[in-house]
Amino acid sequence: MKDETILRVKGLQTHFKTDDGIVQAVEDVSFELAEKETLGIVGESGSGKSVTNLSLMKLIPSPPGKIVGGEVLFEGEDLVHVPENQMRRIRGNKISMIFQDPMTCLNPFLRISTQMIEVFMLHQNMDKKRAHQESIEMLKLVGIPKPEKRVDDYPHQFSGGMRQRVMIAMALSCKPKILIADEPSTALDVTIQAQILELMKELSAKLNTAIIMITHDLGVVAGICDNVCVMYAGTIVEKAPTEELYKTPKHPYTQGLLNSIPKLGKRREDKLYSIEGQPPNLINLPDCCSFYPRCEFAMEICTKKMPEAIPVGEKREVKCWLYHEKKEVFRDSPVA
């Protein structure tokens, strides 16, 4: 049985007004999320990954930021136009988020129990005693030893990995339908990172929670995600099932990202691949392909017009002029 789509994002646009001009942080982003699916959103720093997901939660600081277009359809409602009092009931309850750094997300002056109890009392209308017990159960669920004692500790008494487990416990406290994880393993060493990702995978299956995983680490994507959206300069340039993306990347940017991963068996003297040039300035972007100055397959049309997303297989889309005309342009004849 096919899982139902629970989130549809259509043409999302988020801009920031600055003294230098309009920063087009998110421009025409569209994707869908199904029940129990883990969707990866990858790209360089500044590509718009975090702003996209903060927009879904309506956590963009205004001013200077503003959602200027598009739809975020969840449970039959467009969250872009939902009033703030209603949005507060959705955040943490139906859509929850794990932020990048557990060191700064937990209040160092409050016990873990105080911070967790608030979630249950606010969203589940529990009394303090029951909320305390539920907090212990959630810490137990995420694998924290002796949770009945640790629940009353302060954040500084936990390691980085344990703090991240606390953040996961808080995010999943209300058994949300969607969990947004913004670089949840960035500050952790490789061993702890693997444990956190495995934990999220297990809890997602147990609680039937869909996950949006924001990351720049393609290894994380390979290990946990079902489907992937690749972002560049505020837009999604390629969508694909994870396995297919790794086997046959279509967009030149995706190819560059995968080629830049160090590979076993290469000689020490071999130079690591890197994408030439720098990401574009997001202020007043031209209406054409943003990647063309760095692309070895750039054509004249790439400098004139933005390509539309075009299907290149089942559940696959790519925004690139190479794939228009219903067939691929030969790769041995690029036009600079």
Side-chain angles (χ1 to χ4, degrees):
M1 184 178 175
K2 190 176 179 181
D3 291 330
E4 183 184 349
T5 298
I6 56 173
L7 181 72
R8 283 187 175 90
V9 179
K10 298 180 180 179
L12 184 65
Q13 294 175 291
T14 302
H15 295 174
F16 291 84
K17 190 175 182 180
T18 71
D19 292 338
D20 296 323
I22 303 297
V23 177
Q24 297 165 249
V26 174
E27 194 66 23
D28 191 26
V29 165
S30 301
F31 63 87
E32 294 184 353
L33 181 70
E35 289 179 334
K36 306 175 188 176
E37 177 188 356
T38 299
L39 174 68
I41 299 181
V42 301
E44 294 170 294
S45 296
S47 61
K49 307 183 301 293
S50 294
V51 175
T52 295
N53 288 282
L54 288 171
S55 300
L56 304 185
M57 301 279 281
K58 291 187 74 174
L59 290 174
I60 298 296
S62 180
K66 187 178 181 182
I67 300 172
V68 297
E71 299 176 327
V72 179
L73 302 175
F74 175 69
E75 293 189 337
E77 289 187 289
D78 182 1
L79 299 187
V80 172
H81 302 294
V82 164
E84 181 59 25
N85 61 343
Q86 187 177 341
M87 197 66 207
R88 285 197 198 100
R89 292 195 291 269
I90 294 172
R91 289 192 208 108
N93 192 20
K94 295 182 178 181
I95 304 177
S96 196
M97 191 165 185
I98 303 171
F99 294 93
Q100 285 193 27
D101 188 0
M103 297 282 288
T104 57
C105 290
L106 292 168
N107 190 323
F109 298 103
L110 298 177
R111 297 179 190 274
I112 295 298
S113 56
T114 304
Q115 298 180 63
M116 292 191 70
I117 283 170
E118 183 181 19
V119 177
F120 289 108
M121 294 180 70
L122 180 64
H123 292 295
Q124 302 290 308
N125 297 319
M126 293 184 185
D127 59 52
K128 194 171 183 179
K129 184 177 179 181
R130 188 182 168 198
H132 189 274
Q133 187 58 42
E134 286 293 329
S135 299
I136 293 172
E137 290 300 317
M138 285 305 301
L139 293 184
K140 184 178 180 180
L141 185 66
V142 298
I144 292 180
K146 300 180 181 178
E148 62 282 346
K149 293 183 179 179
R150 300 305 308 273
V151 73
D152 291 317
D153 285 346
Y154 288 91
H156 73 270
Q157 295 174 277
F158 288 78
S159 67
M162 286 298 174
R163 275 192 290 265
Q164 193 62 284
R165 288 173 184 263
V166 171
M167 292 298 301
I168 293 171
M170 292 176 68
L172 294 174
S173 292
C174 300
K175 298 178 175 58
K177 292 189 174 182
I178 299 172
L179 174 66
I180 300 172
D182 190 353
E183 303 274 11
S185 56
T186 296
L188 308 176
D189 64 57
V190 176
T191 305
I192 302 302
Q193 182 185 85
Q195 293 175 6
I196 293 296
L197 294 175
E198 187 61 33
L199 173 65
M200 291 180 64
K201 205 170 180 179
E202 290 174 4
L203 293 177
S204 171
K206 187 178 290 186
L207 302 175
N208 293 328
T209 298
I211 297 176
I212 298 176
M213 175 72 68
I214 308 167
T215 183
H216 62 269
D217 189 335
L218 290 165
V220 168
V221 171
I224 194 172
C225 297
D226 303 308
N227 297 291
V228 190
C229 293
V230 181
M231 287 195 73
Y232 185 79
T235 192
I236 293 173
V237 295
E238 184 168 358
K239 300 179 204 171
T242 304
E243 189 174 342
E244 291 184 29
L245 185 95
Y246 278 77
K247 282 183 179 178
T248 55
K250 297 291 186 182
H251 197 281
Y253 176 61
T254 310
Q255 294 170 6
L257 289 179
L258 292 172
N259 287 335
S260 64
I261 299 173
K263 294 176 177 63
L264 290 173
K266 291 197 76 172
R267 297 175 302 175
R268 290 184 64 181
E269 60 269 24
D270 288 344
K271 190 176 179 181
L272 286 174
Y273 177 86
S274 63
I275 303 173
E276 293 186 2
Q278 296 293 325
N281 188 335
L282 297 180
I283 295 177
N284 301 320
L285 281 170
D287 188 21
C288 66
C289 176
S290 300
F291 188 63
Y292 89 83
R294 307 173 72 185
C295 181
E296 59 184 300
F297 307 114
M299 301 174 287
E300 183 67 25
I301 194 171
C302 303
T303 68
K304 305 294 184 185
K305 190 176 179 182
M306 176 69 76
E308 295 179 358
I310 186 168
V312 287
E314 189 177 356
K315 295 180 71 175
R316 294 199 69 171
E317 284 183 3
V318 63
K319 278 186 181 179
C320 182
W321 286 112
L322 288 173
Y323 301 95
H324 281 252
E325 306 299 329
K326 307 298 181 184
K327 62 180 179 180
E328 296 187 21
V329 172
F330 289 109
R331 293 302 181 83
D332 59 355
S333 57
V335 178

